[in-house]
Amino acid sequence: MTSNEMTGGEAVARMLQAYEVGPMFGMGGFQLLPFYDAARRLGLNHNLINDERCAVFIADAYAKVSGRVGVCDATLGPGATNLVTGLVEALNAGSPLVVFVGDTHRAHSWKNMTQETRQAEILRPACKELIRIEMIERIPELVRRAFAVATAGRPGPVVVDIPEDVCHATHPFEVTEFEADPALAAAPALRCRPAAEDLARAAEMLAAAERPLMLCGGGVHLSGATAAVEALAAAINLPVAHTMTGKGAIACSSPLSAGLFGRYDRIANKLIEESDCLLVVGCKLGEIATKRYSVPAAGKTVIHLDSVAEEFGRTFQPALRLWGDAREGLADLAAALAGRAGAIRARRQGYVDDVAGRMAAWRRSVEPRLTSGERPINMARLLHELNRIMPEDGILVADGGFAAHWGGLLYDTKKAGRGFVPDRGFASIGYGLPGAMGCALAAPGRPVVGLTGDGGFNMVMGELETARRLKLPFTLIVVNNAASGYVKALQHLIYGAGSYQSSDLVEVNYARVAESLGCRGIRVEDPEQLAAALAEGLKGGEGPTLLDVVVTRDPAQMLPGVDNRTVQVKKGDRVA
């Protein structure tokens, strides 16, 4: 066998090369310099970021869209602690990441080294597993472990902590040590199926139901199960509602689509109330999806299919638990029902016609808002114009806060698949720009639009420089309401008009900000300008286009509906 003396940093780089990882982002420090030098020599696609949180956000969005492991890195101390928000997003959302973090020289630890902190203890709750490498010769083994954990079960981020002396040390590695299973570079790397007797019982429950409904969460996309959702739904006329992360489980234009359910909904909450059997797939039934744990109502018959057994019964006790992968479980259900699917489908035709009729009626009811000519621009009009122009393969990235809620309620995916990417794992604002960058890298050639508030953009605007440097062709819409819109709207709902505290921003022309960073900027103040501005952005080119869209300053109109946490409004009051 042939051995090769190399640094620990180069050993890490060679393992990443073996996994054929995609673009990586980080901000280096002394601890990881051998890794950076090896990345340069080996030709890895590594890029400087301006804020480590954004490095994780980019890797997270890249993983969400590509299904492949996202990779980023940070130096010790403030670099490591800046990762926390992005790591929790990936942990809660189930995004497979491997994140490398430099740490102190072990011979000098706890001697007041510059930037030293208890970073392993800080990061451990924010990731699926934290692996500290104490011996240089174990680097290949432990990097393989990181990829295996990141892609198994519900995927998630794994942090690899590398002390300075391990990264800078040298060791004669054997060439054969740098071998990797390519299956572990994407998630899910392993799949399991529900028990046969549980599947048979679930099939009987679905067959007997008169008004069943499938509720899809983000796990449908993690599993790559959208084709299985479409197949089962079409086979037995099973309508489908979705969470924000589950949007795209089927096309929003499908006659079987019941749209968003939970805090904000179109018709789905009423259908859930009327349903006699709910099939929950890849959904944790969290606060927003359940309208603060009130949907479904207690006593509803629920079949819960999920790959994480710990989610069963956390917020709702199901009648039947199906422990397994969403794609495989749905395929097995379809097979179990195949012999009588035709009869079931015919029996339910009136039901699905009713669902389609309700959706059509809802669309008619909100038409005035969707086509509103008011100035400043109504958010519904912005989403309407985006729906009209976005191609079938387009991707909308929605920042936390009201951007995700407006997008979740009104944006229509035109085909099944991950065409809507909100950061609902942690709902941090600031995701819109780096998320759009990650999507553009994951799906070159697909039109990408990021939707962010002015508050979220203020946090991360320095990454426009990164996007320009990488010549990433996407459109970023900055929803400019000169406020922390979600907070101001809630203050208005709870405390009344004029009761605003620390929720206003100064007026900024963000188109000029973009231009000052060498990007194309377009300010939109008239709703009649929206279509042309969006078309200009979607032309692509070298680098991003920023649309500064001036939207309503009225806090009563900042949310897509009445937040269920407020008690000042009558039950069921909702605007589009």
Side-chain angles (χ1 to χ4, degrees), residues 391-413:
E392 188 179 75
D393 64 342
I395 301 173
L396 177 64
V397 182
D399 210 325
F402 73 89
H405 291 276
W406 277 102
L409 180 62
L410 292 182
Y411 182 67
D412 287 328
T413 56

Side-chain angles (χ1 to χ4, degrees), residues 9 77 123 128 136 222 318 335 434 566:
L123 296 177
K128 189 175 178 183
I136 184 174
L222 295 177
T566 64

Side-chain angles (χ1 to χ4, degrees), residues 460-548:
V460 299
M461 66 173 67
E463 299 311 336
L464 269 184
E465 182 275 330
T466 310
R468 177 194 171 196
R469 181 174 7 112
L470 298 180
K471 301 179 180 179
L472 294 178
F474 62 88
T475 303
L476 182 70
I477 300 172
V478 176
V479 178
N480 186 341
N481 57 12
S484 179
Y486 206 109
V487 173
K488 188 170 185 178
L490 292 177
Q491 288 175 341
H492 179 87
L493 283 167
I494 297 171
Y495 305 111
S499 303
Y500 312 124
Q501 173 62 48
S502 305
S503 57
D504 288 308
L505 297 170
V506 70
E507 288 280 355
V508 175
N509 186 320
Y510 290 101
R512 291 182 180 174
V513 171
E515 290 168 355
S516 71
L517 286 166
C519 301
R520 182 168 49 173
I522 303 173
R523 188 169 175 87
V524 184
E525 299 177 285
D526 188 322
E528 300 305 318
Q529 300 171 330
L530 281 169
L534 288 166
E536 186 66 24
L538 289 172
K539 284 182 180 177
E542 290 194 350
T545 298
L546 184 147
L547 306 187
D548 178 19

